[in-house]
């Protein structure tokens, strides 16, 4: 897995990234969308897990796009496509996904979930990470409206930090992970 130090910008912490990737239920040939890619940590790991598939990522921040390109180059990944734009612009050209990860929405969360409702394969999974209560609430309301099933996990990581000649645990920001699927009858 990519270390947390792989980026100087926002990055999904390794523990949260690992859980999010597990929830995506990827196969070797999965088509994955990474929306609000940030530093690319989730999508790049997904590309490594799907060598016969492809990850389509979108990020609006130019500096983060450069970080993703650098990380992709270091990892020598050829199954990772990156679009510098504000989601959902440009996504219409992507193939329908088996799994979607939303790490950032740029204010278009409702529209992005509705797009997943239209495009995600019937047994596909949508995984979203949130640190803001308002976005979490908005996502759950939309999922309820469109009739999807979902489950919610709250992840709280603490890491050791030195204090004098000892160590203490320092908490990271809690993250809510929503895993959603269409109701399959």
């Amino acid at each position: 897995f990519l270390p947390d130090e792989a980026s100087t910008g926002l990055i999904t912490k390794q523990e949260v990234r690992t859980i999010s990737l597990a929830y995506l239920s990827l196969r070797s040939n999965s088509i994955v969308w990474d929306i609000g890619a940030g530093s690319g940590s989730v999508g790049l790991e997904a590309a490594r897990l799907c060598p016969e598939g492809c990850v389509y990522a979108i990020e609006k921040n130019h500096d983060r796009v450069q970080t993703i390109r650098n990380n992709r180059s270091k990892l020598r990944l050829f199954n990772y496509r990156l679009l510098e734009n504000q989601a959902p612009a440009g996504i219409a050209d992507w193939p329908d996904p088996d799994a979607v990860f939303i790490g950032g929405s740029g204010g278009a969360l409702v529209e992005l979930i509705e797009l997943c409702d239209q495009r995600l394969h019937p047994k596909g999974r949508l995984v979203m990470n949130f640190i803001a209560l308002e976005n979490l609430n908005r996502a759950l309301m939309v999922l309820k409206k469109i009739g999807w099933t979902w489950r919610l996990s709250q992840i709280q990581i603490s890491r050791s930090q030195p204090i004098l000649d000892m160590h203490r645990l320092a908490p990271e920001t809690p993250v809510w992970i929503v895993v959603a699927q269409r109701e399959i009858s």
Side-chain angles (χ1 to χ4, degrees), residues 57-73:
I58 187 167
E59 173 56 49
K60 67 179 182 175
N61 181 291
H62 181 72
D63 292 337
R64 292 182 190 159
V65 167
Q66 292 308 115
T67 298
I68 293 169
R69 287 183 177 137
N70 291 339
N71 288 337
R72 177 182 57 191
S73 177

Side-chain angles (χ1 to χ4, degrees), residues 9-178:
L10 297 174
I11 189 166
T12 303
K13 299 298 181 212
Q14 184 175 11
E15 299 86 353
V16 175
R17 186 168 64 242
T18 301
I19 293 167
S20 296
L21 286 163
Y23 283 158
L24 286 168
S25 294
L26 301 174
R27 299 178 318 275
S28 65
N29 65 345
S30 290
I31 300 297
V32 181
W33 290 2
D34 180 9
I35 300 173
S39 67
S41 65
V42 173
L44 292 168
E45 286 290 354
R48 292 169 70 177
L49 294 170
C50 305
E52 299 161 29
C54 191
V55 173
Y56 295 82
I58 187 167
E59 173 56 49
K60 67 179 182 175
N61 181 291
H62 181 72
D63 292 337
R64 292 182 190 159
V65 167
Q66 292 308 115
T67 298
I68 293 169
R69 287 183 177 137
N70 291 339
N71 288 337
R72 177 182 57 191
S73 177
K74 287 177 192 173
L75 294 169
R76 296 185 177 106
L77 293 171
F78 301 100
N79 62 336
Y80 184 94
R81 309 289 181 262
L82 178 60
L83 175 62
E84 183 176 345
N85 212 334
Q86 169 71 45
I91 292 177
D93 297 334
W94 292 356
D96 290 347
D98 300 299
V100 176
F101 176 77
I102 298 178
S105 64
L109 182 60
V110 172
E111 185 178 359
L112 290 168
I113 295 172
E114 289 172 346
L115 180 64
C116 289
D117 186 38
Q118 297 166 15
R119 302 277 309 274
L120 187 64
H121 287 155
K123 293 183 180 181
R125 285 196 172 179
L126 168 61
V127 175
M128 300 175 281
N129 287 0
F130 299 103
I131 58 171
L133 288 168
E134 294 80 3
N135 284 336
L136 172 63
N137 185 52
R138 189 172 293 116
L140 297 179
M141 288 175 42
V142 174
L143 291 171
K144 182 177 179 180
K145 176 184 160 195
I146 63 177
W148 281 32
T149 59
W150 54 269
R151 74 173 184 259
L152 174 67
S153 301
Q154 189 268 326
I155 310 300
Q156 172 63 63
I157 305 299
S158 295
R159 293 189 173 161
S160 63
Q161 290 193 348
I163 180 170
L164 302 173
D165 63 342
M166 299 173 281
H167 288 82
R168 68 179 182 89
L169 287 176
E172 299 285 336
T173 301
V175 176
W176 288 281
I177 302 176
V178 176

